[in-house]
Amino acid sequence: MDILLLFLLMMICQPVSGKLRMKCPLILEKDDGKSPWSYYRPGDHLISVVTTATRLSHKTLLFNRAPSSQSHPLSSSQSKIIHFISAVQNVDKESKLLHNLTLGYNIHDNCLNTLGTSDALLDMLSTGEANVPNYSCGKKDNLLTFLDGAANDISIQMSTLVGTYKVPQVRGRIVSEILSDKSQFPFFHHMLPKEGFHYPGIVQLLLYFRWTLIGLFASDIENGEHFMRTFTPVLVTNGICVVISQLFSMTGDTALSEDAISKWRQVNVFVHFIEFVSLLPRILPFHLALERLPGPIEGKVWITTVLGEFPVRKRRLYQYIHSIWSFDFQAKKNPKDEVFQTNLFVEPQFQEQSFRCSFSKNHFSVKSRKRCTEITTLETQQKRNRIRITNKHLVYTIVKTLAHALNAAYSSTSKRRRKEGKDSLTASRLQAWQFHAYLEKNEFCNFSQEKLYLDQNGHVVADLNIMSVVVLPSDHPIKEQLGSFEGQKLVINQNALSHLNLLNKSLPQSKCVENCHPGFVKKAREGEPICCYDCVPCPEGTISTQEDTQKCTKCPDDKYPNEDRVQCIPKVITFLLYEEYLGIILVSFVLLLFLTSGVVLIIFIKYLETPIVKANNRDLSYILLVCLLLCFLSPFLFLGQPRKATCLLRQMVFSITFSIAISSLLAKTIMVVFAFLATKPGNQVKRWLGKSLANSIIFSCSAVQIIICSIWLGVSSPFPDSDLHSQPGMIILQCNEGSVIMFYITLSYLGFLASICFMVAFLARKLPGAFNEAKLITFSMLVFCSVWLTFVPTYLSTKGKYMVAVQIFSILASSAGLLVCIFIPKCYIIILRPDLNTKEQLMIRANDFA
């Protein structure tokens, strides 16, 4: 900005003073140059164009030579100028598009530098001999808009100055992120997508070919530095490592770092941020660096950010390049063009025939440049020795868009004036700031020859072709369409890849390690880039179906991983079946013990009048035997698939029947104690003897268990459930106890009853009396308590159907202990020793105890 102000002061002072006061007058060498400095055509509305027709060949300008003599023309600049002039001439000829209006132009060359751009802008904004903005001298051009064809950093410079005058600036190239900010540049309009819209395509391209080690290079300009700052985090987020990163000088030679060169054997893919088409300044440092490496060097893939094709020819410098990739706009299949002709031809010497060029007399005015004013049209229908031009060039679409917007602006103004009753002939010319609103509609996508459209955010995006120029060792490069980037999605042409393989030019690998196979997951190595990792098996319960998986996927609850952990397969539904070996064994024991207890009951009923049956409280024995029969049948509630009814009944039946059985044993023991006490003279306990005491004990002790079970059912009753996680690969159908606390309360109460019964029987074991059962009850309670004490840890340590088997076994073992310890000795006397089952024998044994 300081240089610009100094330049303005210098330009202002000279015309005002009229004389130049200096000790050493500056002498300019007159040199018309080989190319024009500017083109001009008057019109009702003027389009000012800043483009790059020439490029300075020296690093610094010489003050004693004209700028044109220190530059040389760019190859594509003449074509751009011809297409723009031809487009304006076609619009002026089309009477239906612009009624009674003509478009003019003022084309300036900025010599690809900021100083030339400042000169051009000041010249366009000034109407006198000197570049003095806001000073009108002579005829004033009605400036409509600026057409910007400069580089991004120069375009920012233009927007800063042009926006002050509210002149719309139309960009005919890719727009930088900075210029897209409407708050800073409200009068800037871009016709093409903003810079970086195709960067997701580059990322998808790298991920598709699994190139995780890359090099990143950019020009040492503001846009290049911005690219490095913004694109690198995107790559890292997607698991791509930037191993080599360097800025290339735009003004001098670039020396590649030794650290980068040492990594170039492993890195075979490079992403280059390039704003201009020239590749040779980039290729030379690569070529020299790779030549220093010993041994064969694998060909490198270049992926460029520039939109357009590269003119790659057979050169020695491409020796270490596999292919150069770029992006190009996709063309519409059937574009409609209702204004422009399709076959136009221009004379090669169009400057001499169509323009009158002259110099200003004042050598210190920037208007001393060569200025060429149009005197006739460019095109001719004669094809011989002519340059053919087409309407497919970008500038045609831009000029067409401007013309339609201008037509819409005047149509809107005309309608408004008719409503107000004013004469349309007296309407003033449209001002530049008024034209701004009509450019906001951005009709460029409709007129464009390329597939341009607006995304959901209203930004201009495009469908692109991915072009690859494959470098062959002994032949000319081959151009291939490798794929496309449509709708922000990557599509790869498999036929092009097959063609590369046929040419023995298969794509190189660029990664740190081999791929992690399915069933494995990547684990980062400490202190190394994220793309250098180890492959470890997926954790239990998870799978990975793709290579290089970042995170394993957990299987659904009803499935589990196969052995290779690459697929989720359905779990096997399991429960304690009658048909399996464990079920058959348990059922056999159940039936055997049930029949045994049934036989014992029949024996006791048959010999109910015998002394041994009577002596031990016959009714309590019957109650105990019936409870044992129910206990032996209760395992059938635990076997088979759990149902709602069986889940509700199994624990209730088990706990209540066992509480009644233990209560009857407790009653038996207490009755023995009371019977002994009743034999002592004067003891009043004798009146308590009888069925009422025994029944009260059984009822009261069992009622507590019934109340506990009722509360259990009311608060959280058991229900059928599925255990999906206890055993891998299995879904265990089981009964959920509902409230685990209530389950252990019922067990605790049974243990409490058994403990009391054991202690009473233990104390009464030596009391005198015939057929005293206290000893038998003591031993049976010892077995009962031992079984259920070992049940708890065993039950908690098992899973699935084996938990059910443990509970069934505990029920059978404890019930069998009661049956064997209490009734088998009596059955032995009744069946095998009937001589002991007599009243005399009972009296003899009673006297012995006495």
Side-chain angles (χ1 to χ4, degrees), residues 6 42 75 92 113 127 138 165 168 233 244 285 318 322-323 404 513 563 616 684 702 732 794 848:
L6 181 62
S75 58
D92 287 343
N113 70 358
T127 56
Y165 293 88
I244 306 171
Y318 296 128
H322 174 280
S323 54
H404 278 271
V513 294
E563 186 177 354
N616 292 285
Q684 301 297 322
S702 302
I732 302 171
T794 307
D848 294 339

Side-chain angles (χ1 to χ4, degrees), residues 52 55 150 199 203 237 249 325 487 557 566 598 605 669 692 699 788:
T52 303
R55 177 166 57 88
Y199 291 172
V203 175
T237 303
S249 174
W325 297 9
D557 290 339
V566 297
I605 293 174
T669 308
S692 59
F699 178 77
W788 287 105

Side-chain angles (χ1 to χ4, degrees), residues 45 142 410 413 417 423-431 434:
H45 288 285
N142 194 9
Y410 273 103
T413 304
R417 293 185 66 84
D423 188 3
S424 60
L425 295 177
T426 61
S428 60
R429 288 283 180 260
L430 187 74
Q431 299 300 312
Q434 295 174 312

Side-chain angles (χ1 to χ4, degrees), residues 37 47-53 80-81 84 106-114 116-124 145-151 154-155 157-158 162 169-173 369:
W37 185 256
I47 302 176
S48 293
V49 182
V50 176
T51 186
T52 303
K80 294 178 183 178
I81 295 173
F84 176 78
N106 191 7
I107 306 174
H108 279 63
D109 185 5
N110 66 354
C111 295
L112 197 61
N113 70 358
T114 56
T117 304
S118 300
D119 293 343
L121 293 177
L122 291 173
D123 183 56
M124 293 175 181
T145 182
F146 272 99
L147 182 57
D148 172 16
I154 296 178
S155 184
Q157 176 194 359
M158 292 177 58
V162 172
Q169 179 183 355
V170 177
R171 175 76 168 164
R173 297 178 63 177
R369 70 180 73 193

Side-chain angles (χ1 to χ4, degrees), residues 396-470:
Y396 275 82
T397 309
I398 295 175
V399 173
K400 188 195 303 185
T401 303
L402 295 176
H404 278 271
L406 187 63
N407 187 23
Y410 273 103
S411 297
S412 176
T413 304
S414 177
K415 291 179 183 179
R416 186 170 62 253
R417 293 185 66 84
R418 282 198 296 268
K419 286 183 180 181
E420 296 173 357
K422 297 180 181 180
D423 188 3
S424 60
L425 295 177
T426 61
S428 60
R429 288 283 180 260
L430 187 74
Q431 299 300 312
W433 64 268
Q434 295 174 312
F435 189 51
H436 166 71
Y438 296 93
L439 288 177
E440 285 288 329
K441 299 179 181 179
N442 199 348
E443 297 291 336
F444 183 81
C445 295
N446 298 329
F447 301 128
S448 175
Q449 304 283 340
E450 290 82 18
K451 290 183 180 180
L452 301 178
Y453 53 91
L454 301 178
D455 63 6
Q456 63 271 16
N457 298 321
H459 299 148
V460 181
V461 292
D463 290 342
L464 303 174
N465 291 327
I466 302 173
M467 308 306 297
S468 172
V469 179
V470 182

Side-chain angles (χ1 to χ4, degrees), residues 166-332:
K166 297 183 179 180
V167 179
Q169 179 183 355
V170 177
R171 175 76 168 164
R173 297 178 63 177
I174 296 296
V175 184
S176 68
E177 192 75 28
I178 301 173
L179 289 169
S180 301
D181 187 359
K182 281 294 183 181
S183 62
Q184 297 186 48
F185 306 102
F187 292 94
F188 182 85
H189 302 273
H190 58 93
M191 302 298 177
L192 293 179
K194 65 180 181 179
E195 182 181 289
F197 83 99
H198 60 302
Y199 291 172
I202 297 177
V203 175
Q204 293 183 35
L205 202 61
L206 296 172
L207 293 176
Y208 181 87
F209 293 108
R210 296 171 182 168
W211 290 330
T212 55
L213 286 185
I214 69 165
L216 203 60
F217 299 99
S219 307
D220 62 346
I221 56 177
E222 183 177 356
N223 291 331
E225 295 175 355
H226 180 265
F227 168 78
M228 298 288 264
R229 289 194 307 268
T230 58
F231 193 56
T232 302
V234 175
L235 294 174
V236 174
T237 303
N238 287 273
I240 301 171
C241 296
V242 180
V243 180
I244 306 171
S245 180
Q246 188 165 351
L247 293 173
F248 273 73
S249 174
M250 294 292 293
T251 57
D253 298 333
T254 298
L256 298 173
S257 64
E258 293 296 331
D259 180 59
I261 296 174
S262 64
K263 299 176 182 177
W264 277 11
R265 287 199 179 276
Q266 198 174 15
V267 181
N268 294 317
V269 177
F270 301 93
V271 178
H272 295 257
F273 175 81
I274 301 176
E275 284 194 321
F276 304 103
V277 179
S278 178
L279 282 176
L280 292 181
R282 292 285 180 89
I283 295 175
L284 182 59
F286 278 89
H287 183 83
L288 296 176
L290 293 175
E291 272 191 332
R292 286 181 282 179
L293 295 179
I297 305 298
E298 190 172 7
K300 312 298 180 180
V301 174
W302 282 34
I303 301 176
T304 61
T305 61
V306 70
L307 293 171
E309 299 179 11
F310 287 101
V312 180
R313 298 178 177 86
K314 184 178 179 181
R315 286 180 178 269
R316 179 178 171 272
L317 292 180
Y318 296 128
Q319 176 182 351
Y320 301 112
I321 295 179
H322 174 280
S323 54
I324 300 174
W325 297 9
S326 62
F327 294 84
D328 198 7
F329 290 105
Q330 287 189 10
K332 294 179 180 177

